[in-house]
Amino acid sequence: MFFYCKMCGGELEVNQEATVGQCQYCGTKQTIPKTDNDKIMNLFNRANHYRMKNDFDKAMNLYENIINENSKNAEAYWGLCLCRYGIEYVKDPLTEKMIPTCHRTQLESILEDEDFISACEDADSVARATYEQEAKHIDKIQKKILQISSKEEDYDVFICYKEADEMGERTQDSVIGQDIYDVLTAKGMRVFFARISLEEKVGTAYEPYIFAALQSATIMITIGTKPEYMEAVWVKNEWSRFLAMMKKDSKKTIIPVYKFMNPYEMPECFARIQAVNMEKIGSMQDLVYGIEKILKKDKEKGVEKAVHAEEKIDSVSKYVPLLERAWIFLEDSNWNKVHEYTERILDMNPKCGEAYLIKMLAKLKFNNRKALVTIQHPVKHAKNFLVKTE
């Protein structure tokens, strides 16, 4: 029974009792599946094949199939984890060792990932130590990416497209993308278009800048002139990540754009999303109008939220001195003044929990909250102070 190396793809002969082995081709120590089932081993090899081609979604489906067959398969959970973080192993030119690179940065640490935790729980001690060591290495890479991306400015729009065809020539998708980029930037929008946005990043890893743009952009425009262009590995990697972000952030919107192709040939996940046919007269104006409308609505919500926050801060700042005076009157047993000041506070904010606490302490003739620990029986009239507070 053979298992293909997760790093270089070399053929490994698997010892059915071992959970860790070393590749004779690249020399990498790695975990291996513990199974005598040819079907499961074939699923692992197919999943690793897709993962090494950076087709992480197809690989994830296969790892999930393995887990459906065996819910305690540690190596399948580890495979899911590698796909979620878009891990590809490349040879370090200095050390010639296979090292991980990250193509799907997440805000959450891999050390807190549920699949990583499941892999460690279901693995033996030897495999677990290997998972933990590799995860710590990936976590350091992630932190470095997040550190770089945090310094990037926010984008309004992310243009997702295929830059070059199989002959290395520029695609129609790229030309359409630049037309959209030119129009939107002329309108004052900040747009991520790889051909231009990454031109000064040559020689560096692109992931921090792509992640920052995906994370901050309100709108993604996906462009397709051929079905295979929209399904291309790196194009799919971008729009599938954005779709995942949309599930957590309702403000994000994706707009499919197509030309020279049947809209029904677009990826199935776009079936219920309104797409724009760029062959129609006025399509560019329609697209721009839609984008402006979405961004305006988003900015209005942001302004409204900021105004409410400022109003709340301003309101709190008005009654904080009254709270301080109420506590002083409580310490002095000046119950009448306590009642007067807490009522003034509650007129400003009927949900001020601290004011209700002071009122209750005064009712009990307590000078501070520490006295509450002396109560041995339910407080009479306490229900009068049980209100929904902030």
Side-chain angles (χ1 to χ4, degrees):
M1 189 178 295
F2 290 95
F3 175 68
Y4 292 98
C5 174
K6 291 181 290 188
M7 284 69 172
C8 72
E11 194 175 83
L12 303 177
E13 189 168 353
V14 177
N15 182 334
Q16 293 180 7
E17 299 303 315
T19 55
V20 174
Q22 187 166 0
C23 176
Q24 61 178 323
Y25 301 100
C26 67
T28 308
K29 181 182 177 182
Q30 61 191 277
T31 51
I32 53 179
K34 187 176 181 180
T35 180
D36 58 359
N37 187 314
D38 288 336
K39 177 184 175 183
I40 296 297
M41 188 60 75
N42 182 49
L43 286 173
F44 268 116
N45 285 330
R46 286 176 60 203
N48 284 338
H49 167 75
Y50 284 122
R51 184 186 53 76
M52 290 176 67
K53 291 178 64 177
N54 298 315
D55 198 336
F56 302 112
D57 293 317
K58 284 185 179 179
M60 287 185 84
N61 289 334
L62 292 168
Y63 287 125
E64 286 168 353
N65 288 341
I66 296 170
I67 291 170
N68 289 336
E69 296 276 343
N70 178 6
S71 62
K72 296 293 183 179
N73 195 305
E75 185 66 10
Y77 285 112
W78 177 242
L80 280 176
C81 194
L82 292 179
C83 290
R84 182 167 297 110
Y85 289 80
I87 302 302
E88 177 188 14
Y89 289 89
V90 296
K91 183 177 287 189
D92 186 330
L94 297 177
T95 64
E96 294 193 347
K97 291 183 178 180
M98 301 298 288
I99 58 173
T101 57
C102 182
H103 298 301
R104 285 188 167 186
T105 305
Q106 307 287 329
L107 291 173
E108 299 79 15
S109 168
I110 191 172
L111 300 174
E112 298 173 1
D113 183 84
E114 291 183 3
D115 290 322
F116 167 68
I117 294 171
S118 295
C120 291
E121 288 176 348
D122 295 331
D124 61 24
S125 59
V126 179
R128 186 184 307 117
T130 304
Y131 290 143
E132 290 173 347
Q133 182 181 11
E134 190 66 11
K136 288 176 182 177
H137 190 180
I138 293 170
D139 188 52
K140 287 182 180 178
I141 295 171
Q142 275 253 131
K143 286 178 178 176
K144 186 175 180 181
I145 291 173
L146 291 173
Q147 183 181 21
I148 296 171
S149 64
S150 66
K151 298 175 183 177
E152 290 294 292
E153 293 183 32
D154 289 349
Y155 286 91
D156 298 309
V157 179
F158 187 109
I159 299 178
C160 174
Y161 70 104
K162 184 171 174 59
E163 173 64 29
D165 61 18
E166 59 278 2
M167 301 298 292
E169 298 295 327
R170 191 178 182 188
T171 62
Q172 283 283 345
D173 305 54
S174 174
V175 175
I176 295 169
Q178 187 152 354
D179 289 341
I180 295 172
Y181 172 86
D182 291 339
V183 172
L184 296 183
T185 51
K187 293 277 188 178
M189 300 178 203
R190 183 163 164 77
V191 183
F192 183 90
F193 178 59
R195 182 179 180 86
I196 295 174
S197 304
L198 296 178
E199 65 179 348
E200 295 181 359
K201 312 296 184 185
V202 175
T204 64
Y206 291 150
E207 173 60 17
Y209 310 103
I210 293 173
F211 174 75
L214 288 171
Q215 193 70 25
S216 63
T218 301
I219 299 170
M220 170 179 275
I221 300 172
T222 59
I223 301 172
T225 58
K226 293 182 179 180
E228 58 267 31
Y229 285 178
M230 298 191 84
E231 292 281 5
V233 170
W234 292 116
V235 176
K236 185 178 180 180
N237 185 44
E238 290 176 351
W239 58 250
S240 63
R241 292 169 73 181
F242 196 82
L243 285 173
M245 291 176 182
M246 284 174 58
K247 293 178 181 179
K248 298 179 181 179
D249 187 350
S250 59
K251 294 185 297 182
K252 288 184 175 293
T253 303
I254 194 164
I255 303 175
V257 164
Y258 66 95
K259 192 173 185 180
F260 311 133
M261 64 176 279
N262 190 321
Y264 295 106
E265 295 178 312
M266 288 194 294
E268 189 175 345
C269 55
F270 295 155
R272 297 183 180 180
I273 302 174
Q274 183 64 46
V276 177
N277 182 358
M278 297 304 288
E279 292 185 66
K280 288 188 175 181
I281 296 174
S283 57
M284 182 67 80
Q285 288 89 339
D286 292 340
L287 176 64
V288 173
Y289 175 76
I291 291 171
E292 287 181 322
K293 189 175 180 180
I294 293 168
L295 292 178
K296 182 180 178 182
K297 186 177 180 180
D298 182 52
K299 287 176 182 177
E300 285 176 349
K301 284 184 178 179
V303 170
E304 183 180 351
K305 188 175 180 181
V307 168
H308 287 326
E310 288 178 6
E311 288 176 347
K312 187 173 181 179
I313 291 170
D314 185 54
S315 175
V316 170
S317 66
K318 288 179 180 178
Y319 63 73
V320 165
L322 298 180
L323 279 170
E324 293 175 354
R325 294 290 299 281
W327 281 111
I328 292 171
F329 289 133
L330 189 73
E331 291 174 1
D332 295 339
S333 301
N334 192 336
W335 316 122
N336 290 332
K337 282 292 185 180
V338 169
H339 175 75
E340 178 189 338
Y341 273 74
T342 52
E343 285 300 312
R344 288 171 61 184
I345 294 164
L346 292 172
D347 284 341
M348 295 182 185
N349 180 8
K351 295 184 178 181
C352 180
E354 193 172 353
Y356 283 108
L357 172 62
I358 297 172
K359 282 177 71 71
M360 186 176 75
L361 292 171
K363 187 81 174 178
L364 296 169
K365 300 294 192 254
F366 288 165
N367 297 105
N368 55 60
R369 70 184 79 198
K370 291 181 180 178
L372 289 171
V373 300
T374 64
I375 298 175
Q376 297 180 350
H377 302 287
V379 178
K380 188 178 181 181
H381 307 305
K383 64 181 181 178
N384 296 329
F385 303 98
L386 297 177
V387 296
K388 187 175 181 181
T389 61
E390 294 181 333

